[in-house]
Amino acid sequence: MRIVMLGAPGAGKGTQAKKIAAKYQIPHISTGDIFRANIKNGTELGKKAKTYMDQGLLVPDELTCDLVVDRIGQPDAVNGYVLDGFPRTIPQAECLTQALAKLGSKIDYAIDVDVPDENIVNRMGGRRACVKCGATYHVVYAAPKQEGICDTCGEKLILRDDDKPETVQKRLDVYHAQTQPLIDYYSGQGVLKSVDGTKGLEEVFDQITAILEA
Ligand code: AP5
């Protein structure tokens, strides 16, 4: 099962991708998480990515495509994966389609988690992230057991730099200009499915499993 998650920043792609990965035993591959791990470790890739991410801009395609093509070629991805945050531009989608075609495979589902912009700003301001293990929470909708502490690893939770309101609006503008066209791209491939991302976490997941198990 090869799945691409689409949707605006903060629509809930990561939340749902983790649940899909756990239920269907496939890797969750998040380019945002890969870049954040590189920033934390001070790598060259991380230093380059940070300059774009802090401004709410996309990291250039040439730094992103090879990284993902390499990752989906790893042994744990042989039975499928859920891609979260990639592709994000038409050139990235074309790069993925071509890489998969060479392997005789293709994306099976592109799931668009649909949430209007008005709901997004509220969600992002309430998101808290664990810098150590990557778990995400929301102060209201998905609160940790102990305020400010990760349930999974006990690390302190932070507000991501790019979740500050001024950067969120920029990320939404970038999403509409560069990522939303992927909805038509995957619709043209006959694999687009949409879910109503304004519903609760479990209800959104039920919509997704209904699609994957239809
Ligand atoms: P990335 O980490 O991918 O950020 P994003 O796409 O902007 O998505 P988010 O992680 O912000 O949101 P999400 O949709 O996963 O929402 P979540 O589940 O956390 O990328 C960050 C940056 O890296 C980019 O801006 C770019 O610079 C760079 N980058 C990454 N990939 C790239 C690429 N391919 N090319 C170029 N650049 C790239 O949910 C949000 C909050 O809402 C959470 O608090 C959650 O608990 C809560 N929530 C989720 N679902 C619900 C619900 N149903 N009801 C109520 N609350 C909910």
Side-chain angles (χ1 to χ4, degrees):
M1 200 177 329
R2 294 174 187 83
I3 304 169
V4 160
M5 300 300 290
L6 299 175
K13 302 180 298 294
T15 301
Q16 298 300 329
K18 284 176 191 141
K19 290 168 81 68
I20 294 169
K23 182 171 169 85
Y24 298 101
Q25 298 287 294
I26 51 177
H28 165 216
I29 301 173
S30 157
T31 40
D33 286 352
I34 294 171
F35 289 138
R36 281 185 288 277
N38 275 275
I39 291 171
K40 193 176 159 212
N41 295 330
T43 69
E44 278 310 309
L45 174 65
K47 283 178 198 154
K48 285 186 189 151
K50 189 172 181 348
T51 60
Y52 298 95
M53 291 170 74
D54 282 353
Q55 298 176 66
L57 300 173
L58 296 184
V59 177
D61 291 339
E62 58 271 24
L63 292 180
T64 312
C65 285
D66 291 351
L67 188 90
V68 175
V69 170
D70 177 66
R71 177 65 188 86
I72 62 180
Q74 302 293 313
D76 66 334
V78 71
N79 292 323
Y81 38 79
V82 50
L83 289 177
D84 164 17
F86 182 93
R88 235 178 169 100
T89 62
I90 294 286
Q92 288 183 15
E94 286 170 345
C95 157
L96 178 64
T97 301
Q98 283 162 18
L100 290 174
K102 279 189 196 151
L103 301 169
S105 86
K106 63 175 197 53
I107 292 299
D108 301 308
Y109 302 94
I111 299 177
D112 178 39
V113 183
D114 186 26
V115 178
D117 286 8
E118 309 81 89
N119 302 38
I120 297 284
V121 180
N122 167 33
R123 280 205 190 165
M124 307 289 252
R127 173 162 58 184
R128 295 294 178 272
C130 175
V131 274
K132 191 168 171 201
C133 75
T136 50
Y137 301 86
H138 190 281
V139 292
V140 177
Y141 308 118
K145 292 191 184 83
Q146 190 186 343
E147 194 184 325
I149 303 291
C150 179
D151 291 351
T152 312
C153 70
E155 188 67 35
K156 261 172 61 180
L157 300 177
I158 58 146
L159 176 68
R160 266 168 47 179
D161 282 342
D162 62 348
D163 279 351
K164 293 177 180 149
E166 56 278 19
T167 315
V168 170
Q169 189 52 55
K170 179 69 194 167
R171 288 165 66 197
L172 280 170
D173 294 344
V174 168
Y175 166 75
H176 290 301
Q178 298 194 59
T179 307
Q180 211 168 19
L182 294 178
I183 293 177
D184 285 343
Y185 181 89
Y186 282 110
S187 175
Q189 291 197 357
V191 295
L192 181 75
K193 304 283 177 189
S194 282
V195 296
D196 179 356
T198 64
K199 306 287 184 197
L201 300 176
E202 292 307 325
E203 210 178 315
V204 177
F205 190 54
D206 289 345
Q207 293 177 58
I208 293 174
T209 54
I211 290 165
L212 300 180
E213 292 173 16

